[in-house]
Amino acid sequence: RPLSARYAACMNGAGVTTAGMHDCIAAETARQDTALNAAYKRLQQAVAPARKTALLEAQRAWLAFRDANCRFRADPDGGTLAGLGAASCVMQMTADRAQELRDLAADSALQ
């Protein structure tokens, strides 16, 4: 699932400032985090009990990777764009992972 129409409308709003962009990204990240949590719960219910621990380990590893990867983008010498890039990284990676988990849940339901 792509980023929401609300996010696009927010970012395309007239006169969006850097602070406004951060607000748009924060709101979309919250929406995508909600979607991620719902997809994780669905997948957790779909997998065999013996695989639940592996799923939890994978999700924890993914969270650590996302956070480290996006922190790296927040180059202290990169100015305001680096901060936007780091925040956008968290948002996009969260959206991508939510979609991945939805796809895995759909595949699990077919097996």
Side-chain angles (χ1 to χ4, degrees), residues 8-93:
C10 184
M11 289 298 279
N12 291 323
V16 173
T17 63
T18 301
M21 289 181 198
H22 274 288
D23 291 343
C24 295
I25 292 168
E28 183 65 14
T29 299
R31 284 189 287 276
Q32 295 299 331
D33 193 55
T34 297
L36 174 70
N37 289 330
Y40 178 82
K41 287 177 185 174
R42 238 176 287 132
L43 180 57
Q44 190 179 44
Q45 293 169 353
V47 300
R51 297 190 65 211
K52 290 184 189 300
T53 299
L55 174 60
L56 178 61
E57 290 171 358
Q59 189 64 9
R60 285 180 176 164
W62 175 82
L63 282 166
F65 170 71
R66 180 200 65 185
D67 292 347
N69 187 50
C70 295
R71 243 188 336 268
F72 174 74
R73 290 183 180 229
D75 179 357
D77 297 324
T80 57
L81 285 181
L84 281 173
S88 183
C89 175
V90 171
M91 176 190 67
Q92 189 62 60
M93 286 187 74

